[in-house]
């Protein structure tokens, strides 16, 4: 890939990321949420109670970031923490009834944001986007272990 194409691709990805996050922040603010907190709420809604380390892995965040999000969501009454059975160092996080109601509102907002983001694109392109973006994310994921070939 030549530099001009690489630059155009990298700039497009950067701008989409920045603008999507800014738009999400604008939509989340009236709900009292900051970007990232919605992902934690949705993860708990999808999976049920999780240990904070599991949330960190699922969200692709550092543990201190998850701890801060959990503290803020706990203070607002949207999640509760309990001690994990068999591991006094681990906390299990779960949605409260208020957190479940907020997650439902976030789902509506998230659907609207997705529709806004892909407006005007062909349906086939929209259908392919999650897989394409997931592959691109995996390509630059610094958390993954290097793949070693037979000759490595």
């Amino acid at each position: 890939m030549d530099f001009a194409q690489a630059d155009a691709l990298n700039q497009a990805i950067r701008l989409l990321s920045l603008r999507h996050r800014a738009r999400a922040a604008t939509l989340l603010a009236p709900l009292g949420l900051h970007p990232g907190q919605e992902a934690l709420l949705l993860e708990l809604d999808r999976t049920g109670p999780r240990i904070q380390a599991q949330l960190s892995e699922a969200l692709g965040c550092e543990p201190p970031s998850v701890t801060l999000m959990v503290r803020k969501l706990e203070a607002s009454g949207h999640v509760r923490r309990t001690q994990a059975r068999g591991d006094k160092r681990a906390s299990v996080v779960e949605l409260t009834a208020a957190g479940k109601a907020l997650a439902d509102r976030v789902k509506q907002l998230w659907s609207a944001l997705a529709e806004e983001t892909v407006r005007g694109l062909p349906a086939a392109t929209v259908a392919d986007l999650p897989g394409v973006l997931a592959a691109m994310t995996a390509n630059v994921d610094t958390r993954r272990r290097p793949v070693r070939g037979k000759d490595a």
Side-chain angles (χ1 to χ4, degrees):
M1 176 180 309
D2 68 13
F3 176 76
Q5 185 180 15
D7 188 47
L9 178 62
N10 287 324
Q11 289 295 337
I13 292 167
R14 184 182 71 82
L15 288 174
L16 173 60
S17 176
L18 289 171
R19 299 229 167 98
H20 188 273
R21 184 174 174 87
R23 183 68 178 129
T26 298
L27 295 171
L28 292 168
L31 301 180
L33 294 174
H34 297 282
Q37 292 175 328
E38 84 289 347
L40 191 147
L41 288 170
L42 293 173
E43 179 66 18
L44 290 173
D45 187 62
R46 245 188 314 275
T47 64
R50 303 287 299 268
I51 293 173
Q52 283 189 206
Q54 293 171 321
L55 285 169
S56 177
E57 179 65 27
L59 299 175
C61 295
E62 293 297 320
S65 297
V66 170
T67 298
L68 182 60
M69 284 191 281
V70 168
R71 281 186 189 150
K72 288 181 178 182
L73 290 168
E74 185 177 37
S76 65
H78 295 106
V79 301
R80 78 169 122 300
R81 283 187 286 185
T82 56
Q83 196 172 65
R85 287 186 187 146
D87 187 351
K88 293 182 180 185
R89 298 168 296 157
S91 293
V92 176
V93 182
E94 65 181 315
L95 290 176
T96 62
K100 172 65 175 143
L102 185 58
D104 289 341
R105 291 179 66 195
V106 169
K107 286 178 187 179
Q108 293 171 350
L109 179 148
W110 226 225
S111 294
L113 178 58
E115 289 173 11
E116 181 180 325
T117 303
V118 300
R119 186 177 331 147
L121 295 177
T125 300
V126 173
D128 289 342
L129 276 174
V132 170
L133 295 171
M136 292 170 67
T137 300
N139 289 341
V140 296
D141 190 349
T142 59
R143 298 174 305 142
R144 68 180 181 172
R145 292 193 171 100
V147 177
R148 294 183 171 247
K150 294 178 186 176
D151 301 327

